[in-house]
Structures are given as C-alpha cells and as structure tokens.
Amino acid sequence: MTEIFGYPIPVILGQLMLGLVNGSFYAMLSLGLAVIFGLLGVVNFAHGAFYMLGAFAAYIGLEALGINYWVALVLSPLVVGGAGIVLERLFLKHLYKLDPLYGLLLTFGLALIFEGVMRYFYGSSGNTYPVPDALQGVFNLGFMILPIYRAWVIVASMTICFATWFIIERTSLGATLRAATENPRLVQAFGINVPLIVMLTYGAGVGLAALAGVLSAPVIQVSPLMGSSIVVVVFAVVVIGGMGSILGSIVSGLALGMIEGFTKVIYPEASNVVVFVIMAIVLVLRPAGLFGRE
Amino acid sequence: APNEVVIGDIDDMSGVYADVIGQGGVEAIKMAIADFGGSVLGKKITILTADHQNKPDVGASKFREWADQNGVNMILGGSNTGVSIAMSKVAGQKKVPFIAIGAAGASLTNEDCTPYSVHYAYDTTSLANGTASAIVQQGGKSWYFLTADYAFGTQLRTAATEVVEKHGGKSLGEVRVPLGTTDFSSFLLQAQGSKAQVLGLANAGADFTNSLKAAQEFGITKQMKPAALLAFISDIHSLGLKTAQGLYLTTGWYWDLNDATRAWSKRYFSVMKKEATMNQAAYYSATLHYLNSVKAAGSTDPDKVMAEMKKEKINDMFVKGGYIRADGVMIHPMYVMQVKTPAESKYPWDYYKLVKTMSGEEAFGPITGKCQYAKK
Amino acid sequence: MQRSVVLLYAVLVLAGLVAPWLDIYPVYLMTLYSFAIFACAFNLLLGFGGMLSFGHAAYFGLGAYTTSWLVTAQHWGTLPAILAGMAVAALAGVVIGGLAIRRSGIYLTMITLALGQLVYFVCLQAPFTGGENGIQGVPRGTLLGLLPLRPDMTMYYFVFALLVLVFLGIRRIVSSPFGQVLKAIRENEPRAISLGYDVNRYKLMVFVLSAAIAGLGGSLKALVLGFATLTDVMQGNSGEVILMTLLGGAGTFLGPVVGAGVVVTLQDVLSDRVGSWVTVIIGCVFVACVLAFRKGIVGEFLAWRARRSVRAQAGGSADTPAGEAAPAAGEAAVSSR
Amino acid sequence: MPTEMLRIEDLQAWYGESHILHGVNLTVNEGEVVCLLGRNGAGRTTTLRAIVGLTGARKGSIRIRGEEAIRLASHKVARLGVGYCPEERGIFSSLSTQENLRLPPVTAQGGMSVDEIYAMFPNLKERAASPGTRLSGGEQQMLAVARILRTGARLLLLDEISEGLAPVIVQKLAETIRTLKARGYTIMLVEQNFRFAAPLADRFYVMEHGRIVQQFEQRELADKMDMLHEFLGV
Amino acid sequence: MPEKHLSEEIILETRGLTKEFKGFVAVNGVDLKVRRGDIHALIGPNGAGKTTFFNLLTKFLLPTRGTILYRGTDITHEKPAQTARRGLVRSFQISAVFPHMTVLENVRAALQRGLGTTFHFWKPESSLYGLHDRARQLLAQVGLQDFADELTVNLPYGRKRALELATTLALEPELMLLDEPTQGMGHEDVSRVTQLIKKASEGRTILMVEHNMNVVSSIADRITVLQRGTIIADGPYAEVSKNPQVIEAYMGSADTELQGAH
Ligand SMILES: Nc1ncnc2c1ncn2[C@@H]1O[C@H](COP(=O)(O)OP(=O)(O)OP(=O)(O)O)[C@@H](O)[C@H]1O
Ligand SMILES: Nc1ncnc2c1ncn2[C@@H]1O[C@H](COP(=O)(O)OP(=O)(O)OP(=O)(O)O)[C@@H](O)[C@H]1O
Ligand SMILES: [Mg+2]
Ligand SMILES: [Mg+2]
C-alpha cells in the first residue's frame, strides 16, 4: 500500500517530518511562554520578538563578527536573555501588582519596538543564515530527503524541552519555582530572593526563545517579522495545552506541528487555520486546555 | 504646487521587493531628472517617495493623499501587482498619470486598465512568452507551479500555463504559497509529489531565491528543472552563480547589453554599488519619457501629457524605438537569458548569456481588447 | 449629565460641523472618525464590559469586507450594505465571543487573538475578499438613493453623524438597565451570578454589540477610502485600537475618540517623515501608557479634576505614603476578574 | 538584662489605601514566648506580616537583634533569623510534603534536621510523598510549623496555629512550643484561642484598632481576666 | 407526617452528595434535609467541606455524585443563575458587594432582575428609578438608609456585610445560604447581624455556615455537624452540643461544651 486516503505515504510522512520540525519550535516557544507565565503571571507577547532577536543575534554575529553557529548557539540566548533581564528590571517588575493584562500590553509594545527597529536596519525581507558545515548534507529517509540540519533541530529541541521539564518538575530549584508560582510573597518571606528568581526566570524563558531563534535561523529566513507570525500560533498552542502547564506546552507544540503538516497534505488551504480550529474545539470541550488545571 | 512638477514614487522600500526597485528606483528617477536638467516648463521638478509596504491600502491612500493634497503630477511605482491595481484605480479617479513598473500583472493593461496608467518594463505575458516557451522547446513538457498567492503569482502562472500548453506541454498543478513565507520546504515537498519535469517558480524577489534554495536543500532540483518566471540580477547576485547557474530567465534589460547600457550603469553603480535591475533602469526611462512628453505638450495637464506619451517613440539607453500602446503597455524587446556558470563569468556581475531576443510584438503579443479604453 | 459635560459636547459637535471648512483634509477626518467609532466599540467591551479583546480587527475587517463586497460585486445600496456589514460583524461576535467568554482575563484575550488570526486567514483565502489585493475601488454610492456620497463633504457629514450617534448610543447602553448589570458583573462576577444573572449571556451581548459597532467602523472606513484589505483584519489593527482606547482612557466616554484622534494623526504625520519608525513610536507610546499613563488622557484629566475637588473639600490631608495611591478608575475597568 | 530579639516602634502599615496599623510598639526578648491578643481585625496578623514585609507600605521601626529591618526586602528579613508561619498556612499544592518541608532555605545554623522533624511529627514522614494540600488540616498546620524549624530561624512568628485543629493536635502543638522554648527559641504567638495561648506565653500584648492597648505578664493574668473579657469576650 | 407533605416540609434535600478533587473527597455522601422556615446551621472544623458543600448547592462546583432536590425538583445539573432564580440565593464568606457602585445601586442590581428589562440596552437608566423606593426600604431594614448614595468601597466592613444581606433579601429568596455571615466582625456587629438574620428568617429558610457558637446557639433551630465531608451529627442545638463525637471532632477537650473559638 502506498497511499492513505488517496494520499501517497511518502508525501504524508514527509510533511509530518517537516511538521515535527515546526512543532519543535512551537514546543520551545510555548515552553518559555509557559514558564514565564507561571512565575511572572505575564503573557509575554514579546516572546516572538525575542525569538526573532535570537536569530538576528546569530545572523549579526556571523556577518559582522564572524561568530560561528555553535558559539552563537550559546551566546545568542545569553545576550538576548540578558536583554530580557534588563527589560524585566526596567519595565515588567513595575507591573506585577497590576492586572496581568498590563503585562500583555507592555510586552506587545516592546514587540512592536523590536520589530520596528530591526525593520529599519534590515528591511522586512529575510536574510539567509547558512547551515553550519558540520550539519550539511542530507539523510535519505527513503520517503524523503531530510537535511541533517532539520534532524538536528528536532533532536536538540526535544533535549532542551526534556531538560526544562526535568528541572522544573524534579529538582529542588524547580520546587522553589513552583512554590513561587503559587505564592511568591510567602516564598520570599521564607528567605528566598524571589525577585532575583523571577528576573532570572524571565531571562531563561527569553533565552529559550532566542535559542529557538538560533536553531531556526538556518531553516527559515532571518526576518524582523518572523516572530510576530509565529507568536499567535504559539499562543494558541498554549491555550490548547493549558496555560502554565510545562508538559502541555511540549506535547501540544509537537503534536500541533505534525497536525499542521498533515493538513498540508489533505487540505492545504486549511493548514494556516487548523491550529486555531483545534483551539476552538478544545475550548468547547475542555476550557482549561488539554493539560490545564482549572 | 504651482511652481513645481511633482513626481511621486510609491514603492516597496523595505520589503521583499526592496532590492528590486526600492532606493535604486529613487536614484534612477534622480538621474533622469538631472539628465533632463532639473526643471521643465520653467518649473522645478521635485520627488516624493513613500513605502507602500506591499499593502494595497497604504499605496492607494498615499496616492489619493498626494493627488488631493500635494498636487502630484505623475506617480511611478508598483513592484507589487495588488498594490499597483489599487493605485491605478485611484489614478483613474484622480486623473493622475501612473506608470507601473515592477508589477508584472498584465491585468493592469487589461481588466484593470485606466486611461492614465502605463505599464513599463515587463508584464506576465512577456515573461511567460520568454522563459516558458524556451524551456518547453528544450523538452521540459510537464510543469508544476509554485505560485505566489496573490494577483501577480496567479497571473504569471496563468500566462505561463497558456504558453506551456500552446507549445505542447502540460501543467500538472500548482501549490499556492502565501506572501512572506519563510520556509518553503513543505510546499516544495508537494511539488515533488507531482513528479513533473519542470518546477515553475511563479514568484519573485526574496520568495524566488528562497524557494530555489530550499529546492536545492531538499534535493528537488535533482529531479525537477527549476524555471524562473521572474528573476532579477539582484536575485542572481544574492544566490551566487554556483546555485543559479544554468537557470533560464527573461529580462527586459541587462546592464551589459551594449555601450549605452554600460555607460549608464557605470554612473548608477558609482552611487548604488550594485548593478541596476531592469526595473531601476525602467524608472530612469519612464521618468525621462514623461518629462519629455510634458515638455512637448507644453503643459502638465494629464490628458495632454498622456496623449503625448503615447504618441512619441522612446529612445534612450533602456530601449530603442519603444512605444506605449493604446492600452498602456510599453512595447519593447525582451531577452531570454541563461545564467552563466562560475567558469563562464569573467568579471563582476557578468551573469547572463543571451539565448534569444524577442521583438516587442512577439513578447507582449497583440492587444487583447480587455481594456475598455483600448478596444481591438 | 453635568452641565459642563453637555457644554463640552456641544463645543465638540460644533467643531466637528465646521472642521471641513477649515482646510483640514476631509478624508483624514473621515478616517479618524471611522477609527473613533471602532475605538468606541472596543471601549464598550474593555472599559464597560471588562474584557480585553485582542482580535477586534476581525469585526472591523468583516464589516469593511462585507460592505465593500456588497456594493462592489452585488451593487447593493450604501445603507443596506452598511447594515449587512454590521450584521456579519455581529455574527462573528456571537461565534468568537461565545468561545472566548468560556475563559476570562488573559485567557480570553489570547483566545480572541487567536480567533482574530483565524478570521484573518479566512479573509486571506476566501474567494470574495480578493486575497492579498483586497477589494478595490469601492463606490460610496448614494444615501437612500437620494444623496450622492461621492463628494467628500456629504460623506463627511454622513460619517460625522454616525460617530455622534454611536457616541450617544454607547452612553445610553452603559447607563441602560443592561449596562447596570454589565457593571455589576465587571465589579464582582460571582456575586452577580448569585443574584441570578446568567453572566455569560450579558457578556456575549456586550461582545456582540461591540462587534457590530466595530463592523460599522470598518464599513465606513471602506466606503471613505474605497477599499477593504487585509490590513483591516490584521493583528496590528487590533493592537492599534487597543492603543487608541488605552491612550484616550479606557472606561471613559470621550477617551476612545481622543485616542483615535491622536493615533491616526500620529500615523498620518509620522509615516512620511520617519518611515518604519512609526511602529517603534507606536510601541513606545504603548509602553509609556502601560507604565506611566494607565488612565489615559481623558482618564488622567478626570482623575486630576477629581483630586482637585477632593482637595478643595478636605483641605488636602492624605496620610497614605506615596506609591500606594488609589487604584485608578481606568485600572479597575481593565481588570476583569 | 535580657537581650532584645525584636523591638517594634511606632509601626504603621497599610494594605493599599487602608491604614491598618497606627503605631504599634512592642518588644520581645530572646527566649521569650509572647502572645498577641485582640479582636478580629485588630491588626495582629497584620503586625506579623508587617514584620516580614508582607503588607503594603510600612512606616516606623522594626529592629531584629538590633538591626533595622523596616526597609529590607522580605527575604532579607527572613535571613535575619525570622520564621513566619502564616494564618492561612500557605502550603503549596504543587509541591509534595517533603518538598514543602525543604522549601525554606536554611538561613542559620542550629535548625532541626529533617529526621528530628519527622520524629516530632511522624505523620509528615508517613505522607512525605503526597502533595502538600492533600494533607488534612491538622497535618497541614504541622507542616507549616515544621517547615520553619528547619531553617535555623530563632524568632518564630506563629499566626493562629491552633485554629481549627482537633484538640489532640492542639495539645501536641502546645507541647512543641514548650520544647522550642526550652531550646531557646523566641516565639511570638497570635491566637484567638485564649485557652491554648494562656498557659504558654510569658507575656501578653492586647491590640485594638491597630494599636497596642495593654501589656501584662503571665503572673498578672488572673487579675486581667475582667479586662480581657471586656476586650475580647473571653 | 404524611408522605405527600414531605416536599412541602423539606425545602432542600441532598442525597449522597459527593465532591472529589482528584481523589481527595471533600464532601462525602452527604444526606441533608433542610426544613422550610428553619434557621439551619452547618458547623464543623476547618476543611470539613462546608464551603464546598455550599458551592455544590449553588452550582459553583459540580458534584461528583449525588443529587440536590429543591422543593422536590432535581436541580443538580442546573446552572448557577438558574438556581438563583428559583429562590435559592447565597452570600459569600468574603464580602461580596459591587465596590464601585453606590449602596443603592447595589441593591437595585438585585431588584432589577424582576423588571425583565436586563437585556434592554436601549432603555435609559431612569427606567430603573421606580425601584428606588423598594431599595431604600430594604436598606432601612439593615440600617443603611443613610448610606444610600455612598460609594460602597468606602463602607466599613460590617456595613458591607449588612449591605450584602440587604441585596440578598432583595431577591426575595425562599432559601438563603449564608457562609460565615459574622466572620470578621466586631462584637457589636456580630449581635446586630445575628438579629438581622433572625429578622430576615421570617417567612424564609436559612442555611448558614458559622463558626461563632454564640450566634449558632442563639438563633439556629437545627444544627448539622460536618467532619471530613460526612455528617456526624444532626439535630437541635441542645442535642447536638452534647454529642460526644461532636465534642471530640469540633470542640475537643470534653470538659467544655460546644463553644466557638470566640
Ligand atoms: N489584604 C488586605 N487588604 C485590605 N485589608 C486587609 C487585608 N488583610 C487584612 N485587612 C484588614 O486589616 C484589618 C486587620 O486585619 P488582621 O488580619 O491583621 O486582623 P487580626 O487581628 O489578625 O484578626 P483576625 O485574624 O482574627 O481576623 C482588618 O480590618 C482586615 O479587614
Ligand atoms: N478546588 C479544590 N481542589 C482541591 N481540594 C479542595 C478544593 N476546594 C476545597 N478543597 C479541599 O476540600 C476540603 C474542604 O474544604 P472547604 O473549603 O469546603 O472547607 P470548610 O469546611 O468550608 O472549611 P473552613 O471552615 O475553613 O471554611 C479541604 O480539605 C480543602 O483543601
Ligand atoms: Mg489574623
Ligand atoms: Mg469555608
């Protein structure tokens, strides 16, 4: 049998594979979003912008300073995460006592600023970031040619997602984070420097977005608009997974990437909207999201 | 502005087509004004520029505002067919001559034509007549298209399909790609599934270069022969000859065609540090032609100028003996080129070898009669 | 209404009536009014319904598309086409609102954002919207077959009249029996439930009203400028209407109008001069609003006036230390749980 | 001259706009058990929260072992050796019992070891792996107290720890407090349950409308019963 | 008592009402009958499940198992607002008022429902002025007549509770559920609210959660004691207060009689 529902299996498998690559980005981004939301109660609208900045940091590093991919993979999240920390100190920390909507609006404004600045300097068309030499080449999977780099993206992001999950759910640092999520002021009264943790968490979440940005740079065009186009999808992923649920973010990120890929085979016109349609269905059936606690 | 002749330029200054016209277009207009002497009918010639961001509404609003508020006399622009159609609607309403350049859609001189619009440089018909026929004649019979999902892509794909079928080939289908797509892999995988011989790239600018690169990454160019339905020298430059070699494309102008083009290009290059695309060269030609027509008409009255523009032949470094047909198409020769291999390329920007020259009539075909102001 | 407020309104209406005679570009004013209507609609939901929608462009855009398509392709009259635009927007409000009110607060916001994006993609692909090109060359038609709206002057007064109507209409909605229930829900939702109000139906109702009025804004914009395009349904448009409302003052009546005025003017003045910095400036205004200016222009003014009158009464004895000021009315309006 | 563990002078505190404490003055000496009495809403919880920095704005002076703490962030106050057990217990539902227990960082030497704590509250050992809020009310209360014993904090602020507990557990808590006192801990108790607090405390403060209105010692207790009756209805 | 009068006599009944939270059983098979006209008190230690039980009755939570009968009708699966419209109205453990509305508007918000114009977004506010007389009457009942135009946030705590009661009364409830109505009140307030409840109980039934035994003993006709989600005693005050199991579960040391912490 070479067909399922009249679609050639190689095509379906190929699209699922590509979907998994996209899903890896969704998972990493929604993971960072969930971590930040969990601790800061801020829906980080600028998450897409940080993803974009991560990719640009790698791109600029290569173009202007000759920094190679592997160094960028470490440096870019640090730089962008650092910038995130500065923003948290300057702006976000003034909003914790207010309605979470203000955090959303503030980060929306920040996203506009980043995007506008990068547009000014780099135009809105994309820039190409080369695939690192070590990851050049392809795997012939039989049903498709899979560039090694894309396979690397899947492996790398799954590793990172698992590591993040492990830290939060299984370590004492994670326990502190979870406690601070529930009642930050009390945790602070126990002698834990919660503002510091909050700041570092924001930095880490933002760094995660930047890391996803670096990973994505050789796959897609590095463009100022790359963040705003993905962030809304990631929001939908988070709503589907259940806001604040780490596992939910990872699982639904990957799954939705693959569902999107599958849709591209059977009904390409709907591939842009399938995530939103699933979100609507989930909302009707389980308003708290698949993994969410009410 | 009573003591000025105002030329407007509404274009993609920052988006996917910015390299194709953008600031280079502005520079070309300036060169034309300088060559003309800076004033016409005793009035100073000034330029307004705006970025339409590839949004039809932005282009149309800007056009309307300049017409209502700034007394603009002529507007150049385009790059994007959708935006150009929107602007030509306003041109018709406000009676401001509009020279569309870089927007390929042939509908600008057919269904969407107005008495005030002119289409310079190339259109989908001439592009398809060039590349598609050349490739089918070489044996590329079955095609699958990767189409930019808006007016330009659709028209280009339609025109190419007609040409392919006319020459005995067939189209196996298409996949429509949204504007601004950054990852073409899944669309290409679909194209690959079609098992066609030729991958028709009915897109332009960054979309074109990205899709070609992705096709290579996924080993698709090994099975399918890519055909650029619209490619510019800036695209070839950014792709590099190693990637682009052997590609067929159609162009209305090339910097290295003859002495006149080389001389002009030297001036252009000294400012912009890169060679001009056919669009940028056309900007120069169109501006000059408009100014000559104003001078000849002795007035900036749009109707008089339009009549003059359609009457006079165009002779400059862009074209010898070109003319604007009743429906607004500027008729001039088109060149089918093949991209050189790195070994063939002898000096910087030595990218093309001429495969075939098509006369203006051959390239643009007969008047269709779809334009209500220019019946057959 | 207080005397001073009535006086202020009279002055504003007068200004609106003479404005086109003062060499102000009427198309600019009409665009401004369309967005002011849009912002008023948005404010009805945020300021008086306590729900922050990040997908309001959907209703605006659907209004614009529907009206444009009906007058262009179906040759409908202007007024029926506007009403149909509102109806379609309202219908979208029923669907999106119905889903979104299943959650509250930021969840609601994220859901509206995502569903707004869904509408965007539908408009991108639906056959009648013209995809990337939009619907161009939309005629203004005539009012009831009598008054041609093609001249900017007639169109101006038509749009202005509708703005005034919307403004007064929203005032009425807010003070109506329905508005009272809405306020109660915003103030304390569990309590409103326990009083026997099926709060979701009221929330949905205000959602739909807001969507319909936003649709009106979109319809008018399309007629004024002659096109409906994807920009109308894009996320950026939803962001802008939030900014207008926030900047002017959420939960105040005049705020959205003032905010729309500032934002539209800003874009108009800046876009030629600074190009892509417009986005940056808008972003900065957003940040400034959220950090320092949460009540918005009108809200800050009202607060200032209230403070002055309190001080006049009490002789200025405030024993709360700085930094712990009273929660602002605007903030209360935004917070929804 | 006993050393002062805690000295509060003219402490004022707000929640948002509402002014709750209007100038509280009190001292607690090292090794003492002091009980804060008062009606509902008198401001006793607020006093404890103000010490650890959990109210809104604060004014006045809070000295812990002589060190001014009014401007310190609350985690720094904790590091001066203050352990706070909140009225609402504050057990974290996403943490297991053991994680809850280990959450507060050790800030000084001399805290109890986990084994010692388990020996004191065997129930907690038994339920170490289950989520904190699955414990019964009494167990949660034990956990809330036990949690701060690990940290080495020598000044314990205990808010209504006997509330809603079965008498057996209340008795056990009383024993615990005696043990802690014997070990030299300084304890400030806030109690509604006068019967529980009366035999434990060395000294009493009575609060009313955000001020201290009375102060007396254990031995004066009998004489003060009428006054307490009037103030507290006990 | 003849069988057919049972539903007349028993206004509210739960059968095997159970609520589990992820394996934890907060309310466990509660069979409770509330007689029409009674002031019925629900007591029990913290975490016994009283608030949860209330939330089940008013549909803020869905029961895991069991049924709720109100005047003989099964209302287990109705929506909260529907239940409220049947005349089963609750007050909250924390004060529940509309803070940025005036005291009068608070009461009016409750009265308004009766007009049937709550969706009329086109009617002016003046269409509600007819309710003001009744609202002032209700405010007078709880001693708030002088505060009618005050903004509610500015009221002291005790008055907010009084307002909440007036608002609840405006709904003409047949069965009122009060969750710790005297919590957070000073002594004077406590006795005033106790009297208020007593007065409000005329012609209606009241089910209340209360820790303050002075209140319970002075006004409750019947007491149910809940512990770990199950009923351990049920009956008149005098009877329940001597029940050794209650003494053990709630009061503890057997040397005292049933008495609150107050
Ligand atoms: N978070 C808060 N926001 C505003 N007011 C508060 C807050 N917490 C307490 N209050 C108010 O502060 C006053 C004092 O409260 P506090 O909790 O200190 O009283 P208490 O003496 O501990 O009484 P009890 O615990 O018996 O209720 C009360 O009037 C209370 O309503
Ligand atoms: N949403 C929930 N999820 C999990 N457990 C819950 C939830 N709500 C309540 N519980 C648990 O159910 C039990 C009963 O709680 P409830 O609030 O009904 O007690 P109560 O009798 O009203 O106590 P109190 O006298 O303190 O008000 C408690 O152990 C509580 O932890
Ligand atoms: Mg207390
Ligand atoms: Mg309770």
Side-chain angles (χ1 to χ4, degrees), chain C residues 172 177 187 195-197 202, chain E residues 85 100 109 112-113 118 122 168:
Chain C
R172 169 56 67 83
E187 294 262 301
L195 293 184
Y197 291 109
Y202 296 86
Chain E
R85 286 194 291 270
H100 295 97
Q112 200 187 332
R113 224 191 65 221
T118 54
W122 57 88
T168 309

Side-chain angles (χ1 to χ4, degrees), chain B residues 106-347:
Chain B
S107 72
L108 279 166
T109 53
N110 289 298
E111 301 87 346
D112 298 316
C113 82
T114 79
Y116 303 94
S117 32
V118 171
H119 201 180
Y120 234 77
Y122 58 86
D123 62 11
T124 45
T125 314
S126 54
L127 291 170
N129 278 335
T131 311
S133 65
I135 291 178
V136 180
Q137 278 159 17
Q138 291 185 1
K141 296 283 185 201
S142 62
W143 287 57
Y144 190 90
F145 291 96
L146 195 73
T147 311
D149 193 11
Y150 72 107
F152 152 70
T154 319
Q155 294 185 23
L156 189 54
R157 202 263 304 143
T158 314
T161 309
E162 270 173 30
V163 173
V164 167
E165 283 168 0
K166 198 172 80 191
H167 289 88
K170 64 174 188 291
S171 161
L172 300 181
E174 66 166 336
V175 54
R176 307 172 69 96
V177 184
L179 197 64
T181 294
T182 49
D183 181 14
F184 285 83
S185 53
S186 69
F187 302 102
L188 286 164
L189 230 52
Q190 254 163 279
Q192 191 182 25
S194 74
K195 305 256 176 354
Q197 293 166 302
V198 181
L199 176 65
L201 298 173
N203 52 17
D207 280 356
F208 161 70
T209 53
N210 293 337
S211 51
L212 189 63
K213 265 184 288 197
Q216 261 165 0
E217 192 186 353
F218 281 82
I220 290 166
T221 47
K222 293 207 181 78
Q223 301 163 18
M224 299 172 84
K225 187 184 172 73
L229 292 170
L230 175 54
F232 297 95
I233 194 150
S234 51
D235 302 329
I236 306 301
H237 185 69
S238 76
L239 281 169
L241 290 185
K242 194 162 159 263
T243 310
Q245 58 182 309
L247 201 63
Y248 285 94
L249 55 88
T250 304
T251 187
W253 182 87
Y254 176 48
W255 72 272
D256 207 6
L257 272 180
N258 55 46
D259 289 343
T261 58
R262 278 188 286 271
W264 183 85
S265 296
K266 209 169 157 192
R267 282 171 59 203
Y268 179 88
F269 193 92
S270 69
V271 181
M272 297 305 293
K273 306 295 173 226
K274 44 188 155 188
E275 292 297 351
T277 62
M278 60 169 145
N279 291 334
Q280 288 151 347
Y283 257 57
Y284 173 86
S285 171
T287 308
L288 213 53
H289 183 56
Y290 171 78
L291 292 173
N292 281 323
S293 306
V294 169
K295 193 170 158 194
S299 146
T300 52
D301 176 80
D303 294 307
K304 287 185 189 151
V305 176
M306 281 309 297
E308 198 60 43
M309 282 177 78
K310 288 182 180 172
K311 201 172 87 195
E312 280 306 313
K313 282 255 181 321
I314 304 163
N315 280 305
D316 53 24
M317 66 89 199
F318 187 80
V319 57
K320 294 276 171 290
Y323 60 93
I324 298 171
R325 207 163 60 183
D327 58 358
V329 186
M330 202 278 267
I331 307 289
H332 61 99
M334 295 288 285
Y335 311 95
V336 179
M337 302 281 195
Q338 189 176 20
V339 177
K340 290 184 171 173
T341 63
E344 287 169 329
S345 174
K346 297 286 183 285
Y347 40 89

Side-chain angles (χ1 to χ4, degrees), chain A residues 154-172:
Chain A
I154 297 173
V155 173
S157 78
M158 292 228 191
T159 313
I160 290 160
C161 286
F162 176 75
T164 311
W165 172 84
F166 185 85
I167 289 173
I168 290 176
E169 297 293 338
R170 292 285 179 273
T171 66
S172 67

Side-chain angles (χ1 to χ4, degrees), chain C residues 172-173 175-178 180-181 183-185 187-188 190-198 201-202 205 209 332, chain E residues 80-81 84-85 90 96-100 108-109 112-113 117-118 120-123 125 127-128 164 167-168 171:
Chain C
R172 169 56 67 83
I173 292 174
S175 65
S176 72
F178 170 71
Q180 296 292 317
V181 179
K183 182 166 186 195
I185 293 172
E187 294 262 301
N188 190 340
R191 183 52 169 160
I193 295 175
S194 76
L195 293 184
Y197 291 109
D198 193 347
R201 292 175 55 191
Y202 296 86
M205 179 76 149
L209 283 171
Chain E
R85 286 194 291 270
R90 79 174 295 184
V97 288
F98 304 119
H100 295 97
R108 199 177 70 184
Q112 200 187 332
R113 224 191 65 221
T117 62
T118 54
H120 293 193
F121 59 81
W122 57 88
K123 287 222 171 92
E125 187 182 359
S127 69
L128 298 174
E164 198 194 323
T167 313
T168 309
L171 299 174

Side-chain angles (χ1 to χ4, degrees), chain A residues 25 51-53 55-56 59 122-130 150 212-227 229, chain B residues 16 19 180-185 205-214 217 238-239:
Chain A
F25 296 129
Y51 164 75
M52 178 268 290
L53 289 177
F56 263 104
Y59 173 76
Y122 294 92
S124 54
S125 60
N127 301 281
T128 306
Y129 188 92
R150 303 211 180 209
V214 183
L215 279 176
S216 75
V219 174
I220 63 173
Q221 294 286 304
V222 179
S223 117
L225 301 178
M226 64 192 264
S229 50
Chain B
V16 282
D19 282 346
T181 294
T182 49
D183 181 14
F184 285 83
S185 53
D207 280 356
F208 161 70
T209 53
N210 293 337
S211 51
L212 189 63
K213 265 184 288 197
E217 192 186 353
S238 76
L239 281 169

Side-chain angles (χ1 to χ4, degrees), chain C:
Chain C
M1 269 191 265
Q2 288 166 274
R3 283 260 300 279
S4 61
V5 174
V6 175
L7 201 71
L8 176 69
Y9 286 177
V11 170
L12 287 176
V13 168
L14 210 66
L17 289 174
V18 300
W21 304 96
L22 301 176
D23 196 31
I24 304 175
Y25 186 33
V27 175
Y28 152 76
L29 286 177
M30 287 187 279
T31 316
L32 196 164
Y33 294 165
S34 307
F35 277 99
I37 290 175
F38 185 24
C40 283
F42 178 80
N43 184 43
L44 177 62
L45 189 64
L46 174 66
F48 302 110
M51 290 176 272
L52 174 62
S53 155
F54 222 116
H56 244 51
Y59 317 115
F60 184 83
L62 284 174
Y65 272 123
T66 308
T67 304
S68 302
W69 183 73
L70 287 175
V71 295
T72 314
Q74 307 298 311
H75 310 292
W76 279 37
T78 306
L79 219 48
I82 290 177
L83 290 176
M86 291 177 70
V88 170
L91 207 65
V94 173
V95 176
I96 295 178
L99 284 168
I101 58 172
R102 298 178 74 88
R103 304 299 307 268
S104 60
I106 38 171
Y107 299 93
L108 180 140
T109 305
M110 290 171 66
I111 292 162
T112 51
L113 175 69
L115 294 175
Q117 194 74 354
L118 178 77
V119 171
Y120 165 80
F121 280 117
V122 169
C123 287
L124 178 64
Q125 281 164 346
F128 63 89
T129 57
E132 296 273 356
N133 309 323
I135 302 175
Q136 300 288 341
V138 180
R140 288 178 188 168
T142 56
L143 200 54
L144 299 169
L146 295 172
L147 192 63
L149 293 169
R150 178 80 187 273
D152 281 345
M153 277 299 172
T154 26
M155 187 68 186
Y156 174 86
Y157 285 110
F158 177 55
V159 177
F160 182 66
L162 283 175
L163 173 64
V164 172
L165 211 65
V166 163
F167 185 85
L168 295 178
I170 284 179
R171 277 200 79 107
R172 169 56 67 83
I173 292 174
V174 169
S175 65
S176 72
F178 170 71
Q180 296 292 317
V181 179
L182 207 58
K183 182 166 186 195
I185 293 172
R186 196 174 73 229
E187 294 262 301
N188 190 340
E189 186 169 335
R191 183 52 169 160
I193 295 175
S194 76
L195 293 184
Y197 291 109
D198 193 347
V199 297
N200 276 352
R201 292 175 55 191
Y202 296 86
K203 285 184 178 177
L204 186 59
M205 179 76 149
V206 70
F207 220 106
V208 172
L209 283 171
S210 172
I213 300 170
L216 172 66
S219 295
L220 290 178
K221 191 236 84 177
L223 291 171
V224 166
L225 295 177
F227 50 72
T229 64
L230 289 173
T231 312
D232 301 336
V233 269
M234 263 193 309
Q235 184 199 320
N237 198 18
S238 300
E240 262 159 36
V241 78
I242 296 176
L243 182 61
M244 289 171 189
T245 309
L246 207 61
L247 183 63
T252 64
F253 289 105
L254 218 44
V257 180
V258 173
V262 175
V263 173
V264 172
T265 308
L266 210 64
Q267 283 175 332
D268 194 63
V269 172
L270 290 179
S271 66
D272 285 342
R273 314 226 166 119
V274 297
S276 60
W277 288 107
V278 179
T279 331
V280 179
I281 291 167
I282 298 252
C284 291
V285 177
F286 243 110
V287 171
C289 265
V290 172
L291 286 177
F293 207 56
R294 279 186 284 275
K295 279 174 254 173
I297 297 170
V298 175
E300 293 286 353
F301 173 77
L302 293 177
W304 171 77
R305 232 184 35 178
R307 271 199 305 275
R308 215 181 45 168
S309 72
V310 165
R311 212 167 289 145
Q313 278 171 17
S317 78
D319 60 351
T320 29
E324 294 287 332
E331 273 163 49
V334 173
S335 77
S336 47
R337 279 139 320 278

